[in-house]
Amino acid sequence: RPSTSQLAEGGALFVRAGCGACHAIRGTAAAGTIGPDLTHVGARLALGAATLPNDAVSFGRWVRDNQRIKPNNRMPPFAIFTEPDLAALAAYLESLQ
């Protein structure tokens, strides 16, 4: 189970990395309209239009390497994130129920 600090770091990373420019999360400053609304993404059964199961490992894989997983989707890959960054971001996204 992720710690409170890991969830906070994941949320902060979401903001710092500019994810909210494309994605919305209701109740936050993230108001993008290009990508899917992530308000309840943690409650979904799958990610990437049913390409991956919805779990923390898949969130990390999707963020880092989505073009290899589902070519020509609208999201650019974010290979810049470290493993701890991806773990925090994935924990945050998975917590959005």
Side-chain angles (χ1 to χ4, degrees):
R1 184 160 175 95
S3 68
T4 303
S5 63
Q6 186 181 39
L7 293 174
E9 178 55 32
L13 181 59
F14 186 90
V15 172
R16 278 196 318 270
C19 303
C22 293
H23 297 283
I25 298 175
R26 281 175 268 157
T28 74
T33 59
I34 295 168
D37 183 316
L38 300 179
T39 301
H40 299 291
V41 69
R44 295 179 188 166
L45 297 176
L47 304 173
T51 307
L52 296 170
N54 186 352
D55 57 38
V57 171
S58 294
F59 273 119
R61 286 184 57 216
W62 179 261
V63 170
R64 176 171 278 160
D65 207 17
N66 59 72
Q67 289 298 321
R68 189 178 322 211
I69 295 165
K70 186 177 180 209
N72 302 312
N73 77 79
R74 296 175 76 179
M75 183 172 165
F78 286 90
I80 60 168
F81 293 129
T82 64
E83 288 300 321
D85 286 345
L86 279 175
L89 186 58
Y92 170 70
L93 293 170
E94 192 173 35
S95 77
L96 298 175
Q97 299 286 319

